[in-house]
Structure formats: structure tokens, C-alpha cells
Amino acid sequence: MQQYRYSYFLGASLLMAACGPGQPKEEQDMVHLITLAPGHFHAALVQKTATPGIDSVVHVYAPQGPELDAHLNLIKQYNERADQPTSWKEEVYTGGDWLEKMKSDRKGSVVVLAGNNHDKTRYIDAAVQAGMHVLADKPMAITQEDFVSLRKSFADADAAKVLLYDIMTERSEITNILQKELLRDASVFGEMQPGTPQQPAIEIESIHHFYKMVSGKPLRRPTWFFDPSQQGDALVDVNTHLVDLTHWMLFDTTELDYKQDIQLTSAVKWKTPLTKSQFSTITGAETFPEFLLPYVKDTVAGIAANGTVDYQVKGFHVRLSALWNFEAPAGGGDTHYAIARGSRCNIVIRQGKEESWKPELFVEPVAADTAFTSALEASVKRLSAKYAGISVEPQGKRFRISIPQELKTGHEAHFAEVLQRYLGFLKAGAVPAWEVKNMIAKYYVTTAGQAMAKEINK
């Protein structure tokens, strides 16, 4: 694929459409956001903090309903908070032709998408065909048909000179960053082991919870979130992050060809039981909606929320698992376990009870000796020039990488960091070609894995 480029002429014309002719040039040069059909709280997290270069007026096109209300309430909360309040001005259109109106109004240059995944590829196509850039929450595709549509959208975006990109917040998590840094240091990690199906080179398990707190308040989820045909199951939803992390850690900026470099081995999926009371707590709905009734037995819904996929990428074995429970243990939260197996050590992220439910990074040597300790200490010292304050702490036969609190920015803050990355692409005039190729490879793994997955009982 050719370098994925952005036309300054087209960008300028979109911004002029969003700005009056008498406005100062610095206002016309700002990026103007459009929020399209916000149905997931991630749409609001893009705006949790003010970002230089982003205009404060955001145009919202969506149907009326509780999802739009929830989105606007979060923005209002950000505007009215005591600590570093934002000053967003939401211009909302809710007419029945809201999608066509967005395309004809052309009041922004970047369309932000986070909502019902059943419609996401259609919305991506609409924005690209209108000549608008797209910043989309994951997943951008939940079926193999969506994958075909998404590939076409990337090709159309390339031809139209607009940027299409997904929001990969996990690359901003400091334990993931340092795991990647140490993995790429041969003096510590040695060589990546190709692994086996039983002991993969990379193995990641992510556990999430339906009932959770967001921006200090209980999260109210829409009822469709629990429908695999609208939200997608775990293999195509959370698993998007896990595939992205795997390829990013292993290959950095190397382009992947999904047809040649990836071979899927197996996939399984299973359900999480959810009582009517639990469902009501999460959604506010008194009963299960009609579209969930096929999954209900004896007043308990079986939610298609868990899955594991095994595959090979360039000869390395990978196992990825995404799971959902109703709520976290007392004092707990979402968890993440990731192990990269090298010839000299394993580099492991753990986030369980022993870690007080916070992600911690460990180095577990194959042979703990003075030479290895010296190599690790030297590596961390080099990295501390870039990540100030990190250090090595021996813990029996393993080492803990101590990370200062100021580097632990948190999931919600990562959205602003992804937005900064995207603004950098706009300024540079391109989404790097490797990013585009690897997004396509990523959604091949998720959608093909979902298609081959066998249902099991657990």
C-alpha cells in the first residue's frame, strides 16, 4: 500500500467549511471535531482534557436518546469540574437525517466514532466518502463482512487523501511500553523464542467487568452492549487491543501482510452468565430486550463475552484471551497479564491481588546470575533517561521494575495521548504505512478468529 497521505488542500477546504470567512487564520487552522452517534463512553474520553490545536466547538450528529444524553452529560461533567475544567461547546443535531446532515454540513475535519459496532463500518465508509478524516474507537470491524468493508475504506481513504485510524490506548500504558523496551534489548531478553501452542512466545489475558466506574461515577451501559451482533464478542472487541500490543511489541514498525504472515490455529469462546438484576444494575432496563431473549435461560442471560485465539505471526506462536465478569473483586478492577518469553528471561506484566490490582512489570531470568543482573541494571539505567525514575528492585528469583507514579497516567488519560499521536499524523501529512498495514492485519486476526471460534462451556 502506498504511504497513506493527507492533502493539505482538502484539509484546508474542510476547515474553511467549518470556519467563517472572517475568522483569524489560527482558528481556521485548528482541527474541528465531529462526534458521530456516540454510544460508548470512549467518545467522551477523547474530550476529557482540552488539547491544543482542537477547536472547542464540537458538532454532534446522533439520534435522540439515552446514549446521546449520557455522552453530553459526561462532557458537561468535564466542563464543570473544579480541577482543570474544559470549555467544550457541543452543537447537536438530532434530526432523522443526522448521518446525511453530517456529510452535507461538513462542519468538521475529523469524525470521532465510538458506539454501536454493528454500524461502525458503515459510518466509517460514510465519513471517508465525504472526504473526512476518521478517528474510531475499537473495534472497527466485528465480522468478516466488516473486514472486507474496512479494507475498502482504507483503500478509499488512501485515494481520497484522508486519514483513517483507530484508538489504541494500551500503547500508552507504561508497563506495556517498558515491556516492549526490554523485549527489544538483547542483552536482557536474548532472542524471542518462537514458542509452541502449549507455551506461546506471547501470551496475554485481559479481564474486564461490566459494572465499573468511569470518571468517578458508575457506568451505565446501553442494552445493545450485550448483543454480539451489535457490540461483538470478546474475540473482536477487547481482543483488538491484545493483537495490537502483540504485533507492536514483536515487530514495532515492520509492516505485516495478513495473507502471508499470519496463520490462525484455533479459537474458542464461552459465555458469562448475567442475571436480570445484574443486567438492570448495569443498563437501567427492567427486563432483557427482545434481541437478547435467544440467549436467556431461566432468567439468566448468557453473554458472549469470553474468548481465546491461538495463531502464529511470522512463525511466533501467540495466545490471546479476553474475558468479562459482572464486577471486579472488592478493591479490584480490570486486570492484565502478559508474558513475553525470551532466551535469557521472561518479561511479565501481572495485575492481580498480589499487585493490589495495579499493573506491575517483572523480569524473570532463565538463569539469575551476576552477569544478568548487571545487564538488566544497565538496561534500566539507559531507559531511565527516557522514562525518568524507573529502577530495578530484586524480588527473590525475579526483578520488579519500579515505576514512579507520575508515569502511571491511567486508562482515561491515554485517550488524550492517542489524540496527540493522531494530530501528529495530521501535521506530518500521513498515517505511517506500517500502521495501516498492521491495522488491516489486526482486524484479520480478530474477525477470522471470531469466525472460526468453537463454543465451549466453562
Side-chain angles (χ1 to χ4, degrees):
M1 181 179 291
Q2 295 178 347
Q3 185 80 350
Y4 189 35
R5 291 212 163 270
Y6 152 92
S7 166
Y8 282 107
F9 175 78
L10 176 61
S13 67
L14 283 170
L15 293 179
M16 287 297 289
C19 304
Q23 289 180 304
K25 183 179 183 302
E26 57 270 21
E27 292 185 21
Q28 296 183 14
D29 286 344
M30 296 187 80
V31 171
H32 295 255
L33 298 180
I34 291 174
T35 305
L36 182 62
H40 195 288
F41 69 94
H42 286 177
L45 288 180
V46 172
Q47 297 174 235
K48 187 175 182 181
T49 58
T51 301
I54 301 289
D55 191 83
S56 61
V57 176
V58 178
H59 291 270
V60 183
Y61 296 84
Q64 290 182 333
E67 294 172 23
L68 175 61
D69 293 342
H71 173 77
L72 295 176
N73 285 337
L74 269 177
I75 301 300
K76 184 173 182 288
Q77 180 181 332
Y78 301 152
N79 281 345
E80 295 179 352
R81 67 190 174 209
D83 183 27
Q84 296 182 320
T86 53
S87 56
W88 302 108
K89 301 175 184 66
E90 304 290 300
E91 299 289 341
V92 183
Y93 181 84
T94 59
D97 62 340
W98 51 270
L99 181 58
E100 293 302 317
K101 185 70 170 172
M102 179 207 74
K103 294 191 291 183
S104 61
D105 281 354
R106 301 170 69 87
K107 288 187 175 180
S109 50
V110 174
V111 176
V112 176
L113 281 171
N116 192 313
N117 296 320
H118 179 272
D119 301 315
K120 194 169 286 180
T121 52
R122 180 166 65 91
Y123 294 159
I124 289 171
D125 177 70
V128 169
Q129 297 303 325
M132 298 177 183
H133 309 297
V134 178
L135 181 62
D137 188 35
K138 61 81 190 159
M140 292 203 292
I142 63 172
T143 67
Q144 289 186 300
E145 292 76 16
D146 286 348
F147 176 68
V148 173
S149 175
L150 184 63
R151 285 174 55 207
K152 180 180 181 298
S153 290
F154 274 115
D156 290 346
D158 189 42
K161 311 303 179 188
V162 295
L163 276 65
L164 172 56
Y165 194 63
D166 61 354
I167 301 174
M168 289 289 99
T169 51
E170 292 304 305
R171 294 191 203 172
S172 297
E173 160 59 40
I174 186 61
T175 51
N176 294 332
I177 292 170
L178 293 176
Q179 185 180 42
K180 178 188 177 186
E181 293 273 20
L182 290 170
L183 179 152
R184 306 189 75 79
D185 187 339
S187 69
V188 172
F189 190 65
E191 296 182 357
M192 171 64 72
Q193 300 300 287
T196 65
Q198 294 73 34
Q199 193 174 61
I202 297 286
E203 188 172 356
I204 307 178
E205 179 183 272
S206 180
I207 303 177
H208 289 251
H209 302 90
F210 293 131
Y211 182 75
K212 65 190 300 184
M213 303 292 287
V214 173
S215 298
K217 295 184 178 181
L219 174 65
R220 180 61 57 87
R221 296 188 188 273
T223 56
W224 57 256
F225 182 85
F226 301 91
D227 181 3
S229 70
Q230 298 184 72
Q231 173 64 21
D233 61 25
L235 287 169
V236 292
D237 181 18
V238 172
N239 198 42
T240 308
H241 280 306
L242 311 188
V243 178
D244 185 79
L245 283 176
T246 295
H247 297 173
W248 177 67
M249 281 197 299
L250 283 175
F251 306 110
D252 194 26
T253 61
T254 299
E255 295 181 18
L256 295 175
D257 183 334
Y258 78 93
K259 294 180 180 178
Q260 297 182 14
D261 296 331
I262 295 172
Q263 294 81 41
L264 271 72
T265 306
S266 65
V268 295
K269 56 185 178 181
W270 63 100
K271 292 181 171 65
T272 294
L274 208 61
T275 67
K276 187 168 68 173
S277 174
Q278 291 172 329
F279 183 79
S280 297
T281 298
I282 301 164
T283 65
E286 294 182 2
T287 60
F288 292 118
E290 187 173 349
F291 57 75
L292 281 183
L293 293 182
Y295 308 103
V296 177
K297 183 178 180 180
D298 298 330
T299 72
V300 177
I303 307 301
N306 312 287
T308 295
V309 62
D310 289 89
Y311 69 102
Q312 294 180 61
V313 52
K314 286 187 175 291
F316 295 104
H317 287 269
V318 176
R319 173 174 297 151
L320 307 176
S321 299
L323 301 87
W324 285 82
N325 298 322
F326 168 61
E327 64 179 336
D334 294 348
T335 67
H336 182 80
Y337 166 80
I339 181 169
R341 294 182 168 97
S343 59
R344 299 200 69 193
C345 71
N346 297 332
I347 304 175
V348 190
I349 297 172
R350 302 181 189 277
Q351 188 183 356
K353 186 176 181 179
E354 290 185 5
E355 293 76 39
S356 300
W357 310 104
K358 304 296 182 183
E360 296 281 1
L361 182 62
F362 300 96
V363 176
E364 301 175 351
V366 173
D369 53 28
T370 303
F372 180 86
T373 301
S374 297
L376 177 60
E377 290 175 343
S379 180
V380 171
K381 184 177 181 179
R382 288 192 297 270
L383 289 172
S384 67
K386 186 176 181 181
Y387 309 100
I390 66 170
S391 61
V392 178
E393 177 184 300
Q395 283 193 348
K397 295 181 179 180
R398 68 180 184 180
F399 299 87
R400 173 179 173 269
I401 305 302
S402 178
I403 303 171
Q405 192 60 41
E406 52 267 28
L407 294 180
K408 300 176 181 179
T409 52
H411 174 66
E412 294 186 17
H414 296 162
F415 284 83
E417 295 173 37
V418 174
L419 185 56
Q420 290 283 9
R421 187 191 312 155
Y422 186 68
L423 292 178
F425 295 155
L426 289 173
K427 184 176 180 180
V431 171
W434 70 268
E435 287 271 25
V436 177
K437 292 278 285 188
N438 292 3
M439 278 188 281
I440 293 172
K442 172 173 61 188
Y443 286 107
Y444 168 74
V445 172
T446 59
T447 57
Q450 193 275 341
M452 75 181 298
K454 295 181 179 179
E455 183 90 27
I456 62 172
N457 293 317
K458 279 203 173 185

